[in-house]
Amino acid sequence: MQANVVTPDGTVFDGEVNMISVRTIEGELGILPRHLPLVTPLDIGPVRLKQDGKVQLIALSGGFMEVRGDEVNVLAESAELPSDIDITRARAAKERAERRLQEAKKENIDFRRAELALKRALNRLDVAQG
Ligand code: ATP
């Protein structure tokens, strides 16, 4: 299948894959060739693109996936290859978010925002470290 991952900044991945797995808002989903047509929202999480023998990881910060024929298109809010992830920046974002979670009240909008920022930072650190 042909897989495509794009963000507002440009194309992050474009290539032939045997399988793609993503985190939808309802859980993990693996797509093999000849999958039924599908459009689904994606959660913050890793994308795994399997190419003969190797796996390309991408840190995804949410978006949408469209499966159509032998084409999978991921439209991402942001997406980074492991080599493009700035670990120092992700660690700083993680610490900032953790601090905000301690300060903000649970029902507060800043709390939810900090939770999402923490999730993005942890995902980037996971993907950067394989
Ligand atoms: P930060 O607080 O560090 O900006 P964030 O989670 O708020 O993190 P996003 O809004 O998800 O950042 O992303 C903004 C842009 O910065 C996107 O283009 C994203 O790819 C890029 N980006 C964010 N964090 C990193 C990182 N640690 N390494 C590389 N690129 C990053």
Side-chain angles (χ1 to χ4, degrees):
M1 317 177 268
Q2 191 66 28
N4 217 305
V5 180
V6 297
T7 74
D9 295 330
T11 299
V12 176
F13 181 93
D14 187 7
E16 194 72 28
V17 299
N18 307 321
M19 184 182 171
I20 172 168
S21 69
V22 293
R23 186 173 296 166
T24 75
I25 52 173
E26 286 168 351
E28 295 294 323
L29 179 65
I31 303 289
L32 291 163
R34 288 178 291 282
H35 193 282
L36 288 176
L38 169 82
V39 174
T40 181
L42 298 178
D43 199 356
I44 297 163
V47 174
R48 288 186 183 80
L49 298 141
K50 295 197 179 141
Q51 298 177 294
D52 342 273
K54 62 176 181 143
V55 178
Q56 176 66 67
L57 274 176
I58 291 178
L60 192 91
S61 297
F64 287 89
M65 178 176 70
E66 175 200 38
V67 181
R68 191 160 43 91
D70 263 346
E71 228 183 271
V72 181
N73 294 304
V74 175
L75 274 176
E77 282 155 32
S78 76
E80 301 98 34
L81 296 169
S83 56
D84 292 329
I85 293 172
D86 178 340
I87 293 182
T88 308
R89 177 174 167 181
R91 284 204 185 115
K94 171 179 175 282
E95 279 160 24
R96 203 163 51 237
E98 284 169 343
R99 215 164 40 238
R100 284 181 182 147
L101 286 177
Q102 285 182 341
E103 289 161 3
K105 297 205 168 33
K106 261 206 155 123
E107 62 279 9
N108 194 313
I109 184 146
D110 288 341
F111 189 89
R112 184 63 190 140
R113 220 144 111 195
E115 274 185 330
L116 292 172
L118 179 59
K119 206 165 155 181
R120 289 195 299 276
L122 291 175
N123 180 41
R124 285 180 176 121
L125 292 171
D126 280 351
V127 167
Q129 283 147 18

